Amino acid sequence: MEFKEIIKGFELFDSGDKIGHIEFSEREGVLKITHTEVHDKYHGKDLVKKLVMAVVDHAKKHNFKIRPLCSTAHQVLRNDEFSDVLA
């Protein structure tokens, strides 16, 4: 599996095939996660969490906070371990 950073998110590839992506917008130091999607064939493999973690790592590296507008990302980020990056 390979992550590719795009202008407003990340894409996830498996053997060259795009299997998922996460999108966000940035405003005033806050990354708003607007959409997360993983191909049906790959559900149940924790790939959504890996996509969200890519955004968490990006946010920490650039001193951004995160506001998950996407319900899928919100599910992942509701744990206390992410309280330091939530807006």
Side-chain angles (χ1 to χ4, degrees), residues 7-83:
I7 293 173
K8 294 186 177 185
F10 291 90
E11 294 177 329
L12 181 60
F13 292 85
D14 184 26
S15 301
D17 295 326
K18 181 179 167 184
I19 61 169
H21 64 274
I22 189 165
E23 300 169 2
F24 57 77
S25 62
E26 187 273 325
R27 185 169 181 190
E28 298 177 359
V30 177
L31 299 178
K32 295 179 182 178
I33 300 175
T34 56
H35 185 72
T36 308
E37 185 175 328
V38 172
H39 190 281
D40 290 342
K41 178 181 172 183
Y42 293 89
H43 281 196
K45 298 183 187 241
D46 253 358
L47 298 180
V48 167
K49 184 173 183 178
K50 290 179 181 181
L51 283 165
V52 172
M53 290 306 299
V55 177
V56 169
D57 292 343
H58 179 79
K60 288 181 177 181
K61 181 178 178 183
H62 298 285
N63 294 313
F64 290 127
K65 293 292 186 180
I66 297 172
R67 180 170 297 129
L69 302 180
C70 163
S71 61
T72 305
H74 185 268
Q75 287 283 349
V76 174
L77 293 170
R78 66 182 178 175
N79 297 326
D80 287 341
E81 67 184 288
F82 300 112
S83 62

